[in-house]
Amino acid sequence: MSLDWHILPSAIVLKVSGKDARRYLNSRLSNDLRAAQPGDAVRAAALTAQGRVEGLFTVFVQPSDTFYLACDAGPREEVVAALKRFIVADRVAVEDLSSQASLVHIAAETSQAAALLQSVGGELLGAAACARVSEKGSDCLLLGASHQQLSDSLRAQLREPLSSDEYRLRRLKYGLPVFPDEVNGETILTEAGLYEAVSFTKGCYVGQEVLERSDAIGKLPRALELIRLSGTTAPQPGTAITSSSGEAFGKTVSAAVDAAQGATFLFALLRTGKYGVGDKVGCAGMEGEIVQRRLTGRETGR
């Protein structure tokens, strides 16, 4: 079988349990967990009061109000501390199980991805639809199976995994921003177009006012966009993006080189109202254009 796959080597996996776990997570995270059932997977972020992202998670819901939170990567101690910051008298336990868990992406529907992992061993905690490198994709969380066990099993069933560089390039070309590379303390979820991780109806949570205000305004001051440049030099984060007239109206956030196509793909934060998809831009001595990117939820105005 020929399917792309990649183990996220630096994933942070946390178990949140206790009598107040659901209530606490619902007030701490950006999405609605009140009606989530065992087997569900919900995208949600821990935010600062200013709406900045401190951790972006897939929440795998288990029986007895137990939740496993998987974050792609990031500063582990800071992410854990951010999630626990508002626990006071709450009956909530947070355990870091990162060393015992594996988060793997498989370019397949969730049912097929889950079936491929049955022979690995350990406990499959869930499979969440997540298109990272192609139209179909699933993030699967396993507990008690080492990366080596998982890798050996998938190699036998599929093919060699995407390398870290291949995965990063494919992800950027497909237009999926992740924490902490593009979504972090410098951005808010609506700027990144990650509306699937936001609830505008559940009520109060940390950072809610900022996201509610950005949604009510209807047009953000800036947005995360995808750019394709002709050339194979990856600009450093913060490098200016200029219009065809030479006006600087944004900055590079992350980049990956496609040597085969002689191109560089990058995410950039751009001032809205200054551009449209297809517009010509310049960056680090290279020329290119803004390309349409996949948005996970409602599209924002430019």
Side-chain angles (χ1 to χ4, degrees):
M1 192 181 302
S2 181
L3 292 173
D4 290 320
W5 60 282
H6 177 72
I7 298 173
L8 282 74
S10 302
I12 301 168
V13 179
L14 307 175
K15 178 183 178 181
V16 182
S17 59
K19 189 171 183 179
D20 297 329
R22 184 183 294 265
R23 184 202 58 75
Y24 177 76
L25 288 176
N26 197 63
S27 64
R28 180 67 186 97
L29 301 180
S30 59
N31 217 337
D32 196 342
L33 293 172
R34 290 173 297 180
Q37 299 298 310
D40 289 347
V42 180
R43 291 279 278 173
L47 309 176
T48 67
Q50 294 73 39
R52 305 298 179 179
V53 180
E54 296 185 288
L56 180 59
F57 305 97
T58 300
V59 182
F60 294 90
V61 184
Q62 308 296 310
S64 303
D65 276 1
T66 296
F67 305 85
Y68 287 89
L69 279 61
C71 180
D72 281 18
R76 188 179 311 279
E77 290 184 2
E78 293 177 22
V79 171
V80 175
L83 185 68
K84 296 169 64 175
R85 182 170 299 131
F86 299 96
I87 297 175
V88 183
D90 309 271
R91 290 161 293 185
V92 180
V94 178
E95 301 174 63
D96 185 352
L97 300 182
S98 305
S99 63
Q100 304 169 43
S102 298
L103 181 64
V104 59
H105 177 75
I106 303 176
E109 301 283 2
T110 54
S111 57
Q112 184 181 13
L116 288 166
L117 298 174
Q118 294 303 315
S119 62
V120 175
E123 180 183 2
L124 178 62
L125 297 174
C130 183
R132 289 178 179 265
V133 298
S134 59
E135 245 180 76
K136 295 179 181 179
S138 301
D139 288 350
C140 300
L141 183 63
L142 289 92
L143 185 65
S146 69
H147 286 190
Q148 190 61 56
Q149 287 176 286
L150 178 56
S151 182
D152 289 345
S153 178
L154 290 178
R155 276 190 171 95
Q157 298 179 77
L158 302 175
R159 60 184 180 189
E160 289 297 305
L162 296 174
S163 69
S164 294
D165 288 343
E166 289 171 331
Y167 165 73
R168 178 180 171 81
L169 174 60
R170 292 277 300 276
R171 178 179 67 77
L172 262 70
K173 289 175 72 171
Y174 193 65
L176 178 73
V178 300
F179 180 88
D181 292 15
E182 295 89 22
V183 183
N184 48 47
E186 299 295 318
T187 53
I188 64 175
L189 293 171
T190 45
E191 288 177 336
L194 294 176
Y195 283 92
E196 68 171 10
V198 182
S199 170
F200 292 98
T201 60
K202 74 168 182 172
C204 185
Y205 58 90
V206 179
Q208 175 203 11
E209 290 185 6
V210 175
L211 295 187
E212 291 279 2
R213 187 162 57 246
S214 74
D215 186 60
I217 291 171
K219 194 161 190 173
L220 294 161
R222 61 182 192 171
L224 190 69
E225 300 289 355
L226 183 62
I227 293 173
R228 184 187 190 277
L229 299 173
S230 295
T232 55
T233 301
Q236 292 297 310
T239 303
I241 306 295
T242 57
S243 67
S244 55
S245 64
E247 177 190 7
F249 67 105
K251 63 179 182 180
T252 301
V253 176
S254 63
V257 170
D258 187 342
Q261 291 189 10
T264 296
F265 291 83
L266 58 86
F267 274 115
L269 278 169
L270 305 180
R271 293 204 305 273
T272 55
K274 294 287 186 178
Y275 65 92
V277 172
D279 283 0
K280 301 300 181 183
V281 298
C283 180
M286 297 178 285
E287 296 182 347
E289 65 180 17
I290 300 167
V291 298
Q292 185 68 55
R293 60 164 284 226
R294 172 183 170 274
L295 297 176
T296 55
R298 292 176 293 170
E299 291 198 5
T300 57
R302 291 183 169 84

